[in-house]
Amino acid sequence: TAGITQAPTSQILAAGRSMTLRCTQDMRHNAMYWYRQDLGLGLRLIHYSNTAGTTGKGEVPDGYSVSRANTDDFPLTLASAVPSQTSVYFCASSAGGAGANVLTFGAGSRLTVL
Amino acid sequence: DQQVKQNSPSLSVQEGRISILNCDYTNSMFDYFLWYKKYPAEGPTFLISISSIKDKNEDGRFTVFLNKSAKHLSLHIVPSQPGDSAVYFCAASVLDSNYQLIWGAGTKLIIKP
């Protein structure tokens, strides 16, 4: 089935450890995004990439980094995890900019930082 | 300060009746609005959208109404079905922002049989 694959599905991580959440899409979409979803806050944009080779900061980028070496992959790295990064993380993609384009989401990665 | 607000965390509706989900926004620059639906353990999926040049958009059982003067939009589902039980997110954007969608906190809709 075409779409977005995220891994891992869930992870428990000790504070201070590093972690990379993987995201792969097979739709050849130009733009990709990482959101976090927290209860009562909706989805908040962490980082985005409008096209391979470029990235940008979203609303809550601190403590996270991304790379976009090719069209399909958009990993999200936590260099030194903290408990406030406990959340559900969603990767998404769109053919063009998010403003008027439909986003396709992955199933999410639930991260717990202890 | 949330620019997009969904003030009802949950809503319970009888099967067959109309479900009305509400969304308020504060930024008058928003010119495009979307509704996404999310089931547990899945990512959100696009449901319906509306441009600020319209006040209504309809797609089957789903209709979105936009009241720009009140900075308010609503999603109507009629008739409501058990499969509509999900969390519904309202999102807004400025079309020239290229990447930024601002999301509401979501409303959990429960359809009672």
Side-chain angles (χ1 to χ4, degrees), chain A residues 75-95:
Chain A
L76 176 74
T77 297
L78 291 69
S80 179
V82 295
S84 62
Q85 292 178 307
T86 294
S87 187
V88 181
Y89 291 86
F90 288 100
C91 180
S93 70
S94 64

Side-chain angles (χ1 to χ4, degrees), chain A residues 13-18 79-83 113-114:
Chain A
L13 188 66
R17 300 296 294 269
S18 66
S80 179
V82 295
V113 182
L114 301 176

Side-chain angles (χ1 to χ4, degrees), chain B residues 2 10-11 27 30-31 34 42 44 55 69 73 85 89 91 102:
Chain B
Q2 286 188 296
S10 65
L11 176 67
N27 188 343
F30 287 146
D31 51 13
L34 308 95
E42 295 183 10
D55 54 18
S69 61
L73 67 156
S85 295
F89 289 99
I102 307 298

